[in-house]
Amino acid sequence: MTNLAVVGGGVIGLSAAWRAAAKKHDVTLYDPEPARGGASWLAGGMLAPVTEAWPGEEDILRLGEESLKRWPGFARDLEKEGVTPGLAEHGTLVVAFDRADAGYLDILAGHLHSLGRTAERLTGREVKRLEPGVGSVRSGLHVPGDLAVDNRKLLDALYAACVNHRVRFVRERVEELPDAEAVVLAAGAWTGQLHPLLAGAVRPLKGEILRLKPRRGCLPPPTHTVRAVVEGRPIYLVPRGDQELVLGATQYEAGFDRAVTVRGVRELLEGAERIYPAVTEYELVESAAGLRAGSRDALPYLGVLDGSVFAATGHHRNGLLMAPVTADAVVAWLEGDEPPEGTAAASPARLHQKEHV
Ligand code: GLY
């Protein structure tokens, strides 16, 4: 049994703490607001490695696919803890407004097929048949195997599972590494401040999201996650079981600023209205900004930093997706087992290489 300190109580820290405590390690988790407040609380919750990445990013895709495979078992294990993580299997619909978008969907479709995934190209009319509320589009791509998770239900479920396994919570921001046999650094965008190797390698990537709710008489939200690129910006609409629609997300570098800007809200709403015109009449119930943990190459830093310190950070746009494989990597390290497939490329050893950009 190892005495383990986990720094960070977002989806990564909670997942690692739960899985390690379930293996009988003695776990303390440090976070001023566990299961609240960080990027995970504001996430869209798409578990969709291919539609969230670009085919050239092979290492990210490989790790994302590896984690996606682990998601159903991860969710089942959480359910065995008596808590439901809100996993949804409604799939993704990506829509194209013009010829360039349609070319991009052809590439995505080819890539999904090469991974053995089902992906069906649809005409504009077929898109309408599948999702009648979608605006006027040229064509679409239906990806039925993509999953999504209700990020807030998931965080509550992970917190409860940690409590079940006697994880201790210290509600403080950590400035110096805790005194423990092993330390996992999972403090998201703030992790760069915790270890000299990560300084400058992990940076905040701001993202604004909105939550919308149909008012009486409005067309209900789509039944699939619907994505598109509008004016060069990727936009997604993710339906939640409670009729809410999560609309995300902007992405830019603004340091640790978490203000919601007029521009951000306008861009999101303009994009959403084009994709799903009925949202014009929806109620805007929440606007918020979070900070993703960016890495230099969009791959997380996942592995030993030095001796007893393990990095589990820099997950960029993929924190929720990569939580299961990250937690398994932490447990493999503690137990002296082989790390999961796909994690070698994410080793922090690349921080020592000059060409790491
Ligand atoms: N994965 C969604 C986002 O980062 O906006």
Side-chain angles (χ1 to χ4, degrees):
M1 180 175 80
T2 303
N3 167 242
L4 173 70
V6 176
V7 183
V11 68
I12 299 293
L14 288 166
S15 300
W18 163 48
R19 290 300 216 190
K23 288 276 186 186
K24 307 284 178 234
H25 297 286
D26 176 28
V27 184
T28 305
L29 186 146
Y30 296 78
D31 193 298
E33 271 190 297
R36 294 286 181 276
S40 322
W41 182 247
L42 299 174
M46 291 162 299
L47 309 176
V50 175
T51 47
E52 188 63 326
W54 181 249
E57 300 174 329
E58 299 306 332
D59 290 335
I60 302 169
L61 284 165
R62 198 166 305 119
L63 193 57
E65 285 287 319
E66 186 60 38
S67 203
L68 184 65
K69 274 197 283 187
R70 290 164 195 255
W71 249 103
F74 187 81
R76 268 196 308 277
D77 289 350
L78 268 177
E79 258 157 35
K80 284 188 210 140
E81 301 280 353
V83 283
T84 161
L87 191 66
E89 300 184 10
H90 49 236
T92 305
L93 176 64
V94 196
V95 296
F97 290 106
D98 57 28
R99 189 192 291 246
D101 295 349
Y104 167 69
L105 296 195
D106 288 337
I107 294 172
L108 274 186
H111 199 70
L112 281 156
H113 292 149
S114 75
L115 292 168
R117 300 269 310 274
T118 304
E120 195 191 355
R121 283 294 267 122
L122 304 178
T123 62
R125 195 170 291 181
E126 287 166 336
V127 168
K128 280 282 202 192
R129 221 171 288 139
L130 192 66
E131 242 353 311
V134 164
S136 171
V137 298
R138 185 182 174 105
S139 64
L141 177 70
H142 181 214
V143 190
D146 274 358
L147 303 175
V149 67
D150 182 327
N151 56 321
R152 295 183 177 178
K153 275 197 184 140
L154 172 68
L155 288 167
D156 285 347
L158 287 168
Y159 184 85
C162 283
V163 171
N164 286 351
H165 290 278
R166 300 181 192 287
V167 172
R168 282 181 299 280
F169 287 90
V170 176
R171 290 165 195 274
E172 287 169 11
R173 186 170 294 287
V174 163
E175 313 228 321
E176 278 174 25
L177 294 193
D179 187 19
E181 284 168 347
V183 179
V184 171
L185 297 181
W190 287 267
T191 318
Q193 300 170 359
L194 294 172
H195 195 281
L197 255 185
L198 295 174
V202 179
R203 68 186 197 290
L205 271 183
K206 183 172 173 181
E208 289 146 312
I209 64 121
L210 306 176
R211 284 186 171 236
L212 312 178
K213 209 167 196 151
R215 294 183 304 136
R216 191 195 289 262
C218 288
L219 192 73
T223 54
H224 301 79
T225 294
V226 184
R227 309 186 57 119
V229 177
V230 181
E231 312 278 330
R233 291 183 291 271
I235 305 270
Y236 50 79
L237 289 86
V238 192
R240 295 283 190 246
D242 56 6
Q243 285 279 300
E244 266 190 15
L245 186 62
V246 178
L247 164 54
T250 59
Q251 178 173 312
Y252 45 98
E253 315 251 352
F256 285 89
D257 170 44
R258 292 180 65 181
V260 177
T261 64
V262 171
R263 188 190 62 178
V265 173
R266 188 181 58 231
E267 285 176 4
L268 290 172
L269 289 177
E270 278 175 2
E273 284 182 85
R274 179 131 192 240
I275 297 168
Y276 203 78
V279 297
T280 311
E281 296 299 331
Y282 281 25
E283 181 186 349
L284 173 57
V285 287
E286 184 180 334
S287 63
L291 302 173
R292 307 174 183 90
S295 71
R296 288 187 186 149
D297 51 10
L299 245 186
Y301 299 113
L302 197 49
V304 177
L305 276 176
D306 63 52
S308 60
V309 182
F310 190 95
T313 188
H315 290 77
H316 208 81
R317 295 178 67 95
N318 293 309
L320 271 75
L321 169 67
M322 292 186 184
V325 78
T326 301
D328 288 351
V330 169
V331 170
W333 172 59
L334 293 171
E335 304 270 299
D337 294 338
E338 277 293 304
E341 290 276 324
T343 52
S347 164
R350 70 194 195 282
L351 288 166
H352 297 289
Q353 293 160 5
K354 275 210 181 72
E355 64 273 21
H356 179 58
V357 284

